């Protein structure tokens, strides 16, 4: 029987952090440092957000794959055409000599 509970994210004790940083770096720097941790309380990405991002990245990759395939095919057609042209010129020169 699993009796575990989902744990709450550990929040930073801002006052303690401020006191430690203030002793080392001074009042002004400590205020700036602790203020930077305000983002800790902003919302985090959910599974749905990550799933949506994954779908968008997959769609972008598929589009890029299609574009790359088109460009590679066009380059190959040009290369085959150039090779045929060079072979034709070489054959014409060979016949003239």
């Amino acid at each position: 029987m699993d009796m575990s509970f989902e744990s709450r994210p550990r929040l930073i004790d801002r006052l303690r952090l401020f006191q430690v940083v203030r002793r080392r770096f001074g009042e002004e720097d400590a205020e700036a440092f602790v203020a930077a941790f305000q983002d800790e309380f902003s919302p985090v990405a959910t599974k749905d957000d990550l799933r949506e991002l994954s779908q968008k990245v997959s769609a972008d990759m598929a589009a890029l794959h299609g574009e790359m395939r088109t460009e590679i095919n066009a380059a190959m057609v040009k290369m085959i055409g150039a090779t045929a042209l060079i072979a034709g010129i070489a054959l014409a020169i060979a016949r003239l000599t």
Side-chain angles (χ1 to χ4, degrees):
M1 174 192 260
D2 186 18
M3 295 295 288
S4 63
F5 296 97
E6 186 176 319
S7 64
R8 247 182 59 187
R10 187 172 171 211
L11 300 178
I12 295 171
D13 182 354
R14 291 179 56 208
L15 178 59
R16 172 110 172 90
L17 178 64
F18 175 78
Q19 290 169 345
V20 170
V21 174
R22 182 180 61 189
R23 276 184 295 210
R24 180 76 174 171
F25 299 106
E27 184 90 17
E28 187 176 319
D29 289 336
E31 286 178 15
F33 185 81
V34 173
F37 279 95
Q38 287 293 51
D39 291 341
E40 175 191 4
F41 302 104
S42 63
V44 295
T46 63
K47 287 182 182 179
D48 290 336
D49 294 334
L50 297 176
R51 191 175 300 115
E52 183 179 322
L53 178 62
S54 174
Q55 290 171 350
K56 183 175 179 351
V57 168
S58 294
D60 289 348
M61 291 296 288
L64 181 61
H65 182 263
E67 290 174 19
M68 286 177 57
R69 180 177 289 241
T70 301
E71 288 184 27
I72 289 171
N73 287 343
M76 288 185 70
V77 167
K78 287 178 186 176
M79 189 170 57
I80 290 170
T83 303
L85 178 65
I86 291 170
I89 292 172
L91 185 62
I93 291 172
R95 283 189 180 192
L96 291 175
T97 56

Coordinates of all heavy atoms in Angstrom, one line a residue:
M1 N 0.8 -1.2 0.0 CA 0.0 0.0 0.0 C 0.9 1.2 0.0 O 1.7 1.4 0.9 CB -0.9 0.0 1.2 CG -1.7 1.2 1.4 SD -2.5 1.3 3.0 CE -4.1 0.8 2.7
D2 N 0.7 2.1 -1.0 CA 1.5 3.3 -1.2 C 0.9 4.4 -0.4 O -0.2 4.8 -0.6 CB 1.6 3.6 -2.6 CG 2.6 4.8 -2.9 OD1 3.4 5.1 -2.0 OD2 2.5 5.4 -4.0
M3 N 1.7 4.9 0.6 CA 1.1 6.0 1.5 C 1.9 7.3 1.2 O 1.8 8.2 2.0 CB 1.4 5.6 3.0 CG 0.5 4.4 3.4 SD -1.2 4.7 3.4 CE -1.4 5.8 4.7
S4 N 2.5 7.4 0.0 CA 3.2 8.6 -0.3 C 2.3 9.7 -0.7 O 1.2 9.5 -1.2 CB 4.3 8.3 -1.4 OG 3.6 8.0 -2.5
F5 N 2.7 10.9 -0.4 CA 1.9 12.1 -0.8 C 2.7 12.9 -1.8 O 4.0 13.0 -1.7 CB 1.6 12.9 0.5 CG 0.7 12.2 1.4 CD1 1.2 11.5 2.5 CD2 -0.7 12.1 1.2 CE1 0.4 10.9 3.4 CE2 -1.5 11.5 2.1 CZ -0.9 10.8 3.2
E6 N 2.0 13.6 -2.6 CA 2.7 14.5 -3.6 C 3.3 15.6 -2.7 O 2.7 16.3 -1.9 CB 1.7 15.1 -4.6 CG 2.4 15.9 -5.6 CD 1.4 16.3 -6.7 OE1 0.5 15.6 -7.1 OE2 1.5 17.5 -7.1
S7 N 4.6 15.8 -2.9 CA 5.3 16.8 -2.1 C 5.1 18.2 -2.7 O 5.0 18.3 -3.9 CB 6.8 16.5 -2.0 OG 7.4 16.6 -3.3
R8 N 5.1 19.2 -1.9 CA 5.0 20.6 -2.3 C 6.4 21.0 -2.7 O 7.4 20.6 -2.0 CB 4.5 21.4 -1.1 CG 3.2 22.0 -1.4 CD 2.8 22.9 -0.3 NE 3.7 24.0 -0.1 CZ 3.7 24.8 0.9 NH1 2.8 24.7 1.8 NH2 4.6 25.8 1.0
P9 N 6.5 21.9 -3.7 CA 7.9 22.4 -4.0 C 8.4 23.2 -2.8 O 7.7 23.9 -2.1 CB 7.7 23.3 -5.2 CG 6.2 23.5 -5.3 CD 5.5 22.4 -4.5
R10 N 9.7 23.0 -2.5 CA 10.3 23.6 -1.4 C 10.5 25.1 -1.7 O 11.1 25.4 -2.7 CB 11.6 23.0 -1.0 CG 12.2 23.5 0.2 CD 13.4 22.7 0.5 NE 14.1 23.3 1.6 CZ 15.4 23.3 1.8 NH1 16.1 22.6 1.0 NH2 15.9 23.9 2.8
L11 N 9.9 26.0 -0.9 CA 10.0 27.4 -1.2 C 11.2 27.9 -0.4 O 11.6 27.4 0.6 CB 8.8 28.1 -0.7 CG 7.5 27.7 -1.4 CD1 6.3 28.5 -0.8 CD2 7.6 27.9 -2.9
I12 N 11.8 28.9 -1.0 CA 13.0 29.5 -0.4 C 12.6 30.4 0.8 O 11.6 31.2 0.7 CB 13.8 30.3 -1.4 CG1 14.3 29.4 -2.5 CG2 14.9 31.2 -0.8 CD1 14.9 30.2 -3.7
D13 N 13.3 30.3 1.9 CA 13.1 31.2 3.0 C 13.7 32.5 2.7 O 14.9 32.7 2.8 CB 13.7 30.6 4.3 CG 13.4 31.4 5.5 OD1 12.9 32.5 5.4 OD2 13.8 31.0 6.6
R14 N 12.9 33.4 2.1 CA 13.5 34.7 1.6 C 14.2 35.5 2.6 O 15.2 36.1 2.4 CB 12.4 35.5 0.9 CG 11.9 34.8 -0.4 CD 10.8 35.5 -1.1 NE 11.2 36.9 -1.4 CZ 10.4 37.9 -1.5 NH1 9.1 37.7 -1.3 NH2 10.8 39.1 -1.8
L15 N 13.6 35.5 3.8 CA 14.2 36.4 4.9 C 15.6 35.8 5.3 O 16.6 36.5 5.3 CB 13.3 36.4 6.1 CG 13.9 37.2 7.3 CD1 14.1 38.6 6.9 CD2 12.9 37.1 8.5
R16 N 15.7 34.5 5.4 CA 17.0 33.9 5.7 C 18.0 34.1 4.6 O 19.1 34.4 4.9 CB 16.8 32.4 6.0 CG 18.0 31.6 6.2 CD 18.2 31.2 7.6 NE 19.4 30.2 7.7 CZ 20.6 30.6 7.9 NH1 20.9 31.9 8.1 NH2 21.6 29.8 8.0
L17 N 17.5 33.9 3.4 CA 18.4 34.1 2.2 C 18.9 35.6 2.2 O 20.1 35.8 2.0 CB 17.7 33.8 0.9 CG 18.4 34.0 -0.3 CD1 19.6 33.1 -0.4 CD2 17.5 33.8 -1.5
F18 N 18.0 36.5 2.5 CA 18.4 37.9 2.5 C 19.4 38.2 3.6 O 20.4 38.9 3.3 CB 17.1 38.8 2.7 CG 17.4 40.2 2.9 CD1 17.7 41.0 1.8 CD2 17.5 40.8 4.2 CE1 18.0 42.4 2.0 CE2 17.8 42.2 4.3 CZ 18.0 42.9 3.2
Q19 N 19.2 37.6 4.7 CA 20.2 37.9 5.8 C 21.6 37.3 5.5 O 22.6 37.9 5.7 CB 19.7 37.2 7.1 CG 18.5 38.0 7.7 CD 17.8 37.2 8.8 OE1 18.0 36.0 9.0 NE2 16.9 37.9 9.5
V20 N 21.6 36.1 4.9 CA 22.9 35.5 4.5 C 23.6 36.3 3.5 O 24.8 36.6 3.6 CB 22.7 34.1 4.1 CG1 23.9 33.5 3.4 CG2 22.2 33.2 5.2
V21 N 22.9 36.7 2.4 CA 23.5 37.5 1.3 C 23.9 38.9 1.8 O 24.9 39.4 1.4 CB 22.5 37.5 0.1 CG1 23.0 38.4 -1.0 CG2 22.2 36.1 -0.4
R22 N 23.1 39.5 2.7 CA 23.4 40.8 3.2 C 24.7 40.8 3.9 O 25.5 41.8 3.8 CB 22.2 41.3 4.1 CG 22.5 42.8 4.6 CD 21.4 43.3 5.5 NE 21.3 42.4 6.6 CZ 20.4 42.4 7.5 NH1 19.4 43.3 7.4 NH2 20.3 41.6 8.6
R23 N 24.9 39.8 4.7 CA 26.2 39.7 5.5 C 27.4 39.7 4.5 O 28.4 40.2 4.8 CB 26.2 38.5 6.4 CG 25.5 38.7 7.7 CD 25.7 37.5 8.6 NE 25.0 36.4 7.9 CZ 24.4 35.4 8.5 NH1 24.5 35.2 9.8 NH2 23.8 34.5 7.8
R24 N 27.2 39.0 3.4 CA 28.3 38.8 2.5 C 28.5 39.9 1.5 O 29.6 40.3 1.2 CB 28.1 37.5 1.8 CG 29.1 37.1 0.8 CD 30.3 36.5 1.5 NE 31.2 36.0 0.5 CZ 32.4 35.7 0.7 NH1 32.9 35.7 2.0 NH2 33.2 35.2 -0.2
F25 N 27.4 40.5 1.0 CA 27.5 41.4 -0.1 C 26.9 42.8 0.2 O 27.0 43.7 -0.7 CB 26.7 40.8 -1.4 CG 27.4 39.6 -1.9 CD1 26.7 38.4 -1.7 CD2 28.6 39.6 -2.5 CE1 27.3 37.2 -2.1 CE2 29.1 38.4 -3.0 CZ 28.5 37.2 -2.8
G26 N 26.2 43.0 1.3 CA 25.6 44.3 1.6 C 24.2 44.3 1.3 O 23.6 43.5 0.6
E27 N 23.5 45.4 1.8 CA 22.1 45.6 1.8 C 21.5 45.6 0.4 O 20.6 44.9 0.0 CB 21.7 46.8 2.6 CG 20.2 47.1 2.7 CD 19.7 46.5 4.0 OE1 20.4 46.1 4.9 OE2 18.5 46.3 4.0
E28 N 22.1 46.5 -0.4 CA 21.6 46.8 -1.8 C 21.7 45.5 -2.7 O 20.7 45.1 -3.3 CB 22.4 47.9 -2.4 CG 21.8 48.4 -3.7 CD 22.5 49.6 -4.3 OE1 22.9 50.5 -3.5 OE2 22.7 49.6 -5.5
D29 N 22.8 44.9 -2.6 CA 23.0 43.7 -3.4 C 22.1 42.5 -2.9 O 21.6 41.7 -3.7 CB 24.5 43.2 -3.4 CG 25.4 44.1 -4.3 OD1 24.8 44.8 -5.1 OD2 26.6 44.2 -4.0
A30 N 21.9 42.5 -1.7 CA 21.1 41.4 -1.1 C 19.6 41.6 -1.5 O 18.9 40.6 -1.9 CB 21.1 41.4 0.4
E31 N 19.1 42.8 -1.6 CA 17.8 43.1 -2.0 C 17.6 42.7 -3.5 O 16.6 42.1 -3.9 CB 17.4 44.6 -1.8 CG 17.2 45.0 -0.4 CD 16.9 46.5 -0.2 OE1 16.6 47.1 -1.3 OE2 17.0 47.0 0.9
A32 N 18.6 43.1 -4.3 CA 18.5 42.7 -5.7 C 18.6 41.2 -5.9 O 17.8 40.6 -6.7 CB 19.7 43.4 -6.5
F33 N 19.4 40.5 -5.2 CA 19.5 39.1 -5.3 C 18.3 38.4 -4.9 O 17.8 37.5 -5.6 CB 20.7 38.6 -4.4 CG 21.0 37.2 -4.5 CD1 21.8 36.7 -5.5 CD2 20.5 36.3 -3.5 CE1 22.1 35.3 -5.6 CE2 20.8 34.9 -3.6 CZ 21.6 34.5 -4.6
V34 N 17.7 38.8 -3.8 CA 16.4 38.1 -3.3 C 15.3 38.5 -4.2 O 14.4 37.6 -4.5 CB 16.1 38.5 -1.8 CG1 14.8 38.0 -1.4 CG2 17.2 38.0 -0.9
A35 N 15.3 39.7 -4.8 CA 14.2 40.0 -5.7 C 14.2 39.2 -7.0 O 13.2 38.9 -7.6 CB 14.3 41.5 -6.1
A36 N 15.4 38.7 -7.3 CA 15.6 37.8 -8.5 C 14.8 36.5 -8.3 O 14.5 35.9 -9.3 CB 17.0 37.6 -8.8
F37 N 14.6 36.1 -7.1 CA 13.9 34.9 -6.8 C 12.4 35.0 -6.9 O 11.7 34.0 -6.6 CB 14.4 34.3 -5.5 CG 15.7 33.6 -5.6 CD1 16.9 34.2 -5.3 CD2 15.8 32.3 -6.0 CE1 18.1 33.6 -5.4 CE2 17.0 31.6 -6.1 CZ 18.2 32.3 -5.8
Q38 N 11.9 36.1 -7.2 CA 10.5 36.3 -7.3 C 9.9 35.4 -8.4 O 8.8 35.0 -8.3 CB 10.1 37.7 -7.7 CG 10.3 38.7 -6.5 CD 9.3 38.4 -5.4 OE1 9.2 37.3 -4.9 NE2 8.6 39.4 -5.0
D39 N 10.7 35.0 -9.4 CA 10.2 34.2 -10.5 C 9.9 32.8 -10.0 O 9.2 32.0 -10.6 CB 11.3 34.0 -11.6 CG 11.5 35.3 -12.3 OD1 10.5 36.1 -12.3 OD2 12.5 35.5 -13.0
E40 N 10.4 32.4 -8.8 CA 10.1 31.1 -8.2 C 8.6 30.9 -8.0 O 8.1 29.9 -8.1 CB 10.8 31.0 -6.9 CG 10.5 29.7 -6.2 CD 11.0 29.7 -4.7 OE1 11.5 30.6 -4.2 OE2 10.8 28.6 -4.1
F41 N 7.9 32.0 -7.8 CA 6.5 32.0 -7.5 C 5.6 32.1 -8.7 O 4.4 32.1 -8.6 CB 6.1 33.0 -6.4 CG 7.0 32.9 -5.2 CD1 8.0 33.7 -4.9 CD2 6.7 31.8 -4.3 CE1 8.8 33.6 -3.7 CE2 7.4 31.7 -3.1 CZ 8.5 32.5 -2.9
S42 N 6.2 32.3 -9.9 CA 5.5 32.4 -11.1 C 5.0 31.0 -11.5 O 5.7 30.0 -11.1 CB 6.3 33.1 -12.2 OG 7.4 32.4 -12.5
P43 N 4.0 30.9 -12.3 CA 3.5 29.6 -12.8 C 4.6 28.9 -13.6 O 5.3 29.5 -14.3 CB 2.3 29.9 -13.6 CG 2.1 31.4 -13.7 CD 3.2 32.0 -12.9
V44 N 4.5 27.6 -13.5 CA 5.4 26.7 -14.2 C 4.7 26.0 -15.4 O 3.4 26.0 -15.3 CB 6.1 25.6 -13.3 CG1 7.0 26.3 -12.3 CG2 5.1 24.8 -12.7
A45 N 5.4 25.5 -16.3 CA 4.7 24.9 -17.4 C 4.0 23.6 -17.0 O 4.6 22.8 -16.1 CB 5.8 24.5 -18.5
T46 N 2.9 23.3 -17.5 CA 2.1 22.1 -17.2 C 2.4 21.1 -18.3 O 3.1 21.3 -19.3 CB 0.6 22.4 -17.2 OG1 0.2 22.8 -18.5 CG2 0.3 23.5 -16.2
K47 N 1.9 19.9 -18.0 CA 2.1 18.8 -19.0 C 1.4 19.2 -20.3 O 1.9 18.9 -21.4 CB 1.5 17.5 -18.5 CG 2.4 16.9 -17.4 CD 1.8 15.6 -16.9 CE 2.6 14.9 -15.8 NZ 2.0 13.7 -15.3
D48 N 0.3 19.8 -20.2 CA -0.4 20.3 -21.5 C 0.4 21.3 -22.2 O 0.5 21.2 -23.5 CB -1.8 20.8 -21.1 CG -2.8 19.8 -20.6 OD1 -2.6 18.6 -21.0 OD2 -3.7 20.2 -19.9
D49 N 1.1 22.2 -21.5 CA 1.9 23.2 -22.2 C 3.1 22.5 -22.9 O 3.4 22.8 -24.0 CB 2.5 24.2 -21.1 CG 1.5 25.0 -20.5 OD1 0.4 25.3 -21.1 OD2 1.7 25.5 -19.4
L50 N 3.7 21.5 -22.2 CA 4.8 20.8 -22.8 C 4.3 19.9 -24.0 O 5.0 19.8 -25.0 CB 5.5 19.9 -21.8 CG 6.1 20.6 -20.6 CD1 6.7 19.6 -19.6 CD2 7.2 21.5 -21.2
R51 N 3.2 19.3 -23.9 CA 2.6 18.6 -25.0 C 2.3 19.5 -26.2 O 2.7 19.1 -27.4 CB 1.3 17.9 -24.6 CG 0.8 16.8 -25.6 CD -0.5 16.1 -25.0 NE -0.2 15.4 -23.8 CZ -0.7 15.7 -22.6 NH1 -1.6 16.7 -22.5 NH2 -0.4 15.1 -21.5
E52 N 1.8 20.6 -26.0 CA 1.5 21.6 -27.1 C 2.8 22.0 -27.7 O 2.9 22.1 -28.9 CB 0.8 22.8 -26.5 CG 0.4 23.8 -27.5 CD -0.4 25.0 -26.9 OE1 -1.2 24.8 -25.9 OE2 -0.1 26.1 -27.3
L53 N 3.8 22.3 -26.9 CA 5.1 22.7 -27.4 C 5.7 21.6 -28.3 O 6.3 21.8 -29.3 CB 6.1 23.1 -26.3 CG 7.5 23.5 -26.7 CD1 7.5 24.7 -27.6 CD2 8.4 23.7 -25.5
S54 N 5.6 20.4 -27.8 CA 6.1 19.2 -28.5 C 5.5 19.1 -29.9 O 6.1 18.8 -30.9 CB 5.9 17.9 -27.7 OG 6.3 16.8 -28.4
Q55 N 4.1 19.3 -29.9 CA 3.4 19.2 -31.2 C 3.9 20.3 -32.1 O 4.0 20.0 -33.3 CB 1.9 19.2 -30.9 CG 1.4 18.0 -30.2 CD -0.1 18.1 -29.8 OE1 -0.6 19.2 -29.8 NE2 -0.7 17.0 -29.4
K56 N 4.1 21.5 -31.6 CA 4.5 22.6 -32.5 C 5.9 22.3 -33.0 O 6.1 22.5 -34.2 CB 4.5 23.9 -31.7 CG 4.8 25.1 -32.5 CD 4.7 26.3 -31.7 CE 5.1 27.6 -32.5 NZ 5.7 27.6 -33.7
V57 N 6.8 21.8 -32.2 CA 8.2 21.5 -32.6 C 8.1 20.4 -33.7 O 8.8 20.5 -34.7 CB 9.1 21.1 -31.4 CG1 10.4 20.6 -31.9 CG2 9.3 22.4 -30.6
S58 N 7.3 19.4 -33.5 CA 7.2 18.3 -34.4 C 6.7 18.8 -35.8 O 7.2 18.4 -36.8 CB 6.2 17.2 -33.9 OG 6.8 16.6 -32.8
A59 N 5.7 19.7 -35.7 CA 5.1 20.3 -37.0 C 6.2 21.1 -37.7 O 6.3 21.0 -38.9 CB 3.9 21.1 -36.7
D60 N 6.9 21.9 -36.9 CA 8.0 22.7 -37.5 C 9.0 21.9 -38.1 O 9.6 22.2 -39.2 CB 8.6 23.7 -36.5 CG 7.7 24.8 -36.0 OD1 6.6 25.0 -36.7 OD2 8.0 25.4 -35.0
M61 N 9.4 20.8 -37.5 CA 10.4 19.9 -38.0 C 9.9 19.2 -39.3 O 10.7 19.0 -40.2 CB 10.8 18.8 -37.0 CG 11.5 19.4 -35.8 SD 13.1 20.0 -36.2 CE 14.0 18.5 -36.5
A62 N 8.7 18.8 -39.3 CA 8.1 18.2 -40.5 C 8.1 19.2 -41.7 O 8.5 18.8 -42.8 CB 6.7 17.7 -40.2
A63 N 7.8 20.4 -41.4 CA 7.8 21.4 -42.5 C 9.2 21.7 -42.9 O 9.5 21.8 -44.2 CB 7.2 22.8 -41.9
L64 N 10.2 21.7 -42.0 CA 11.6 21.9 -42.4 C 12.1 20.7 -43.2 O 12.8 20.9 -44.2 CB 12.4 22.0 -41.1 CG 13.9 22.3 -41.4 CD1 14.2 23.5 -42.2 CD2 14.7 22.3 -40.0
H65 N 11.7 19.5 -42.8 CA 12.0 18.3 -43.6 C 11.5 18.4 -45.0 O 12.3 18.1 -46.0 CB 11.5 17.1 -42.9 CG 11.9 15.8 -43.5 ND1 11.0 15.1 -44.4 CD2 13.0 15.0 -43.4 CE1 11.6 14.0 -44.8 NE2 12.8 14.0 -44.3
G66 N 10.3 18.8 -45.2 CA 9.7 19.0 -46.5 C 10.5 20.0 -47.4 O 10.8 19.8 -48.5
E67 N 10.8 21.1 -46.7 CA 11.6 22.2 -47.5 C 13.0 21.6 -47.9 O 13.4 21.9 -49.0 CB 11.8 23.4 -46.6 CG 10.5 24.2 -46.3 CD 10.6 25.3 -45.3 OE1 11.8 25.7 -45.1 OE2 9.6 25.8 -44.8
M68 N 13.6 20.9 -47.0 CA 15.0 20.4 -47.3 C 14.9 19.4 -48.4 O 15.7 19.4 -49.3 CB 15.6 19.8 -46.0 CG 16.0 20.8 -45.0 SD 16.7 20.0 -43.5 CE 18.0 19.0 -44.1
R69 N 13.9 18.5 -48.4 CA 13.7 17.5 -49.4 C 13.5 18.2 -50.8 O 14.1 17.8 -51.8 CB 12.5 16.7 -49.1 CG 12.3 15.6 -50.1 CD 11.1 14.7 -49.7 NE 11.6 13.9 -48.6 CZ 11.6 12.6 -48.6 NH1 11.2 11.9 -49.7 NH2 12.1 11.9 -47.6
T70 N 12.7 19.3 -50.8 CA 12.5 20.0 -52.0 C 13.8 20.6 -52.6 O 14.1 20.6 -53.8 CB 11.4 21.1 -51.8 OG1 10.2 20.5 -51.4 CG2 11.2 21.9 -53.1
E71 N 14.5 21.3 -51.7 CA 15.8 21.9 -52.1 C 16.8 20.9 -52.6 O 17.5 21.1 -53.5 CB 16.4 22.7 -50.9 CG 15.6 24.0 -50.7 CD 16.2 24.9 -49.6 OE1 17.4 24.8 -49.4 OE2 15.4 25.6 -48.9
I72 N 16.9 19.7 -51.9 CA 17.8 18.7 -52.3 C 17.5 18.1 -53.6 O 18.3 17.9 -54.5 CB 17.9 17.6 -51.2 CG1 18.6 18.1 -50.0 CG2 18.6 16.3 -51.8 CD1 18.6 17.2 -48.8
N73 N 16.2 17.9 -53.9 CA 15.7 17.4 -55.2 C 16.0 18.4 -56.3 O 16.5 18.0 -57.4 CB 14.2 17.1 -55.1 CG 13.9 15.8 -54.4 OD1 14.8 15.0 -54.1 ND2 12.6 15.7 -54.0
A74 N 15.8 19.7 -56.0 CA 16.1 20.7 -57.0 C 17.6 20.7 -57.3 O 18.0 20.8 -58.5 CB 15.6 22.1 -56.6
A75 N 18.4 20.6 -56.3 CA 19.9 20.6 -56.5 C 20.3 19.4 -57.3 O 21.2 19.5 -58.2 CB 20.6 20.7 -55.2
M76 N 19.7 18.2 -57.0 CA 20.1 17.0 -57.8 C 19.7 17.1 -59.3 O 20.4 16.7 -60.1 CB 19.4 15.8 -57.1 CG 20.1 15.4 -55.8 SD 19.4 13.9 -55.1 CE 20.1 12.7 -56.2
V77 N 18.5 17.7 -59.5 CA 18.1 17.9 -60.9 C 19.1 18.8 -61.6 O 19.5 18.5 -62.8 CB 16.7 18.5 -61.0 CG1 16.3 19.0 -62.4 CG2 15.7 17.4 -60.5
K78 N 19.5 19.9 -61.0 CA 20.5 20.8 -61.6 C 21.8 20.1 -61.9 O 22.4 20.3 -62.9 CB 20.7 22.0 -60.7 CG 19.6 23.0 -60.7 CD 19.9 24.1 -59.7 CE 18.7 25.0 -59.5 NZ 18.9 26.1 -58.5
M79 N 22.2 19.3 -60.9 CA 23.5 18.6 -61.0 C 23.4 17.5 -62.2 O 24.4 17.4 -63.0 CB 23.9 17.9 -59.7 CG 25.3 17.3 -59.7 SD 25.8 16.7 -58.1 CE 24.6 15.5 -57.7
I80 N 22.3 16.8 -62.3 CA 22.2 15.9 -63.4 C 22.1 16.6 -64.7 O 22.7 16.1 -65.7 CB 20.9 15.0 -63.1 CG1 21.1 14.1 -62.0 CG2 20.6 14.2 -64.4 CD1 19.9 13.4 -61.5
G81 N 21.4 17.7 -64.8 CA 21.4 18.5 -66.0 C 22.7 19.0 -66.4 O 23.1 18.9 -67.6
A82 N 23.5 19.5 -65.4 CA 24.9 20.0 -65.7 C 25.8 18.9 -66.2 O 26.5 19.0 -67.1 CB 25.5 20.7 -64.5
T83 N 25.6 17.7 -65.6 CA 26.4 16.5 -66.0 C 26.1 16.1 -67.4 O 27.0 15.8 -68.2 CB 26.2 15.4 -65.0 OG1 26.6 15.8 -63.7 CG2 27.1 14.2 -65.4
A84 N 24.8 16.1 -67.7 CA 24.4 15.7 -69.1 C 24.9 16.8 -70.1 O 25.3 16.4 -71.2 CB 22.8 15.7 -69.1
L85 N 24.8 18.0 -69.7 CA 25.3 19.1 -70.6 C 26.8 18.9 -70.9 O 27.3 19.0 -72.0 CB 25.0 20.5 -70.0 CG 25.5 21.7 -70.8 CD1 24.8 21.7 -72.2 CD2 25.4 22.9 -70.0
I86 N 27.6 18.7 -69.8 CA 29.0 18.5 -70.0 C 29.3 17.2 -70.8 O 30.2 17.2 -71.7 CB 29.7 18.4 -68.6 CG1 29.7 19.8 -67.9 CG2 31.2 17.9 -68.7 CD1 30.1 19.7 -66.5
A87 N 28.6 16.2 -70.6 CA 28.7 14.9 -71.4 C 28.4 15.2 -72.8 O 29.1 14.7 -73.7 CB 27.9 13.8 -70.8
G88 N 27.4 15.9 -73.1 CA 27.0 16.3 -74.5 C 28.0 17.1 -75.2 O 28.4 16.9 -76.3
I89 N 28.6 18.1 -74.4 CA 29.7 18.9 -75.0 C 30.9 18.0 -75.3 O 31.5 18.1 -76.4 CB 30.0 20.1 -74.1 CG1 28.8 21.0 -74.1 CG2 31.3 20.8 -74.5 CD1 29.0 22.1 -73.0
A90 N 31.2 17.2 -74.4 CA 32.4 16.3 -74.5 C 32.2 15.4 -75.7 O 33.1 15.1 -76.5 CB 32.7 15.5 -73.3
L91 N 31.0 14.8 -75.9 CA 30.6 14.0 -77.0 C 30.7 14.7 -78.3 O 31.3 14.2 -79.3 CB 29.3 13.4 -76.8 CG 28.8 12.3 -77.9 CD1 29.8 11.1 -77.8 CD2 27.4 11.9 -77.6
A92 N 30.2 16.0 -78.4 CA 30.3 16.8 -79.6 C 31.7 17.1 -79.9 O 32.1 17.0 -81.1 CB 29.5 18.1 -79.4
I93 N 32.6 17.4 -79.0 CA 34.0 17.7 -79.2 C 34.6 16.4 -79.8 O 35.5 16.5 -80.7 CB 34.7 18.2 -78.0 CG1 34.2 19.6 -77.6 CG2 36.2 18.2 -78.1 CD1 34.7 20.1 -76.3
A94 N 34.3 15.3 -79.2 CA 34.9 14.0 -79.6 C 34.5 13.7 -81.1 O 35.4 13.2 -81.8 CB 34.5 12.9 -78.7
R95 N 33.3 14.0 -81.5 CA 32.9 13.7 -82.8 C 33.6 14.7 -83.8 O 33.8 14.3 -85.0 CB 31.4 13.9 -83.0 CG 30.7 12.7 -82.4 CD 29.2 12.8 -82.7 NE 28.5 11.6 -82.1 CZ 27.3 11.3 -82.5 NH1 26.6 12.0 -83.3 NH2 26.8 10.3 -81.9
L96 N 33.8 15.9 -83.4 CA 34.4 16.9 -84.3 C 35.9 16.6 -84.5 O 36.5 17.1 -85.4 CB 34.2 18.3 -83.8 CG 32.8 18.8 -83.8 CD1 32.7 20.2 -83.2 CD2 32.3 18.9 -85.2
T97 N 36.6 15.9 -83.6 CA 38.0 15.7 -83.7 C 38.3 14.4 -84.4 O 37.7 13.6 -84.8 CB 38.7 15.7 -82.4 OG1 38.1 14.7 -81.5 CG2 38.6 17.1 -81.8

